Amino acid sequence: MSELICQYCSHHNIGGALARCMHCGAPLRAAAHKVAAAVESTAHVVEKTAEKTVETAEAAVKVVAGYPRWQWRALGILIAVFVFVGVIVARSCSFSLPSMPLAPPPAGTGTGVSALPESMRSGSSCEHFDAAQQVDKCVIVAGSPLLAGGIAGSKELTFYAQSSSPQHLNDIIRRWRTAGGTVVSDGQVFAAVGPSATVWYADTRSGLSLETGTFTGKAAAQTFLTRAGLTR
């Protein structure tokens, strides 16, 4: 029954489940022993845990120390390279791509050429002569049906096709009128043969005007106007 004797007043307590003295209220020896045992057990666990932690740290230090210094330097350089590349990629993604310049239109597709009659458009080889003024330079080969009969002196014929605003087209027609040519058609379509047997043509509906090279004569120029579909 020594386990039930109060550690302060030596009072004997009956009942093994009591934790405090019924006489003075002090903890009994049995309870005190249990507390001490619990404290001792906790201290032992803490001590073991600390030992494990120290052992783990020592093992890690040994592993790190086992690698040569040059390998750690190489690893550091590799990490720095990855970081640098990542920064460059992130910055490049924020830049907008430069806009690509528009390709120039293909030769012979200006507004002047597109308004030509089909027979002239298919029978001519054209290229841009003045992009700002929408002027195309076209050539009809000597053997073309459009020049059959030697109306151009058995040579190729060059003409210039232009797309103009109504005001500019009126100015062109006015200049031709005062140049002393022979007017063949006058109205929405103006056609004339110039003093040097050249063809002058303007269509106020489409804005097309063209001027040809020299034919063998006035009759040859008029033949071309009809054959090419410029006049009826």
Side-chain angles (χ1 to χ4, degrees), residues 173-181 200:
I173 295 173
R174 188 178 302 111
R175 175 170 54 84
W176 285 342
R177 289 183 189 279
T178 59
W200 299 334

Side-chain angles (χ1 to χ4, degrees), residues 28-69:
L28 298 178
R29 290 179 181 177
H33 290 168
K34 290 180 180 180
V35 172
V39 171
E40 183 178 357
S41 176
T42 301
H44 180 72
V45 171
V46 171
E47 182 179 359
K48 288 295 183 182
T49 302
E51 290 177 356
K52 291 282 186 182
T53 303
V54 171
E55 291 176 358
T56 301
E58 290 177 350
V61 171
K62 290 179 180 180
V63 170
V64 172
Y67 288 97
R69 182 176 299 177

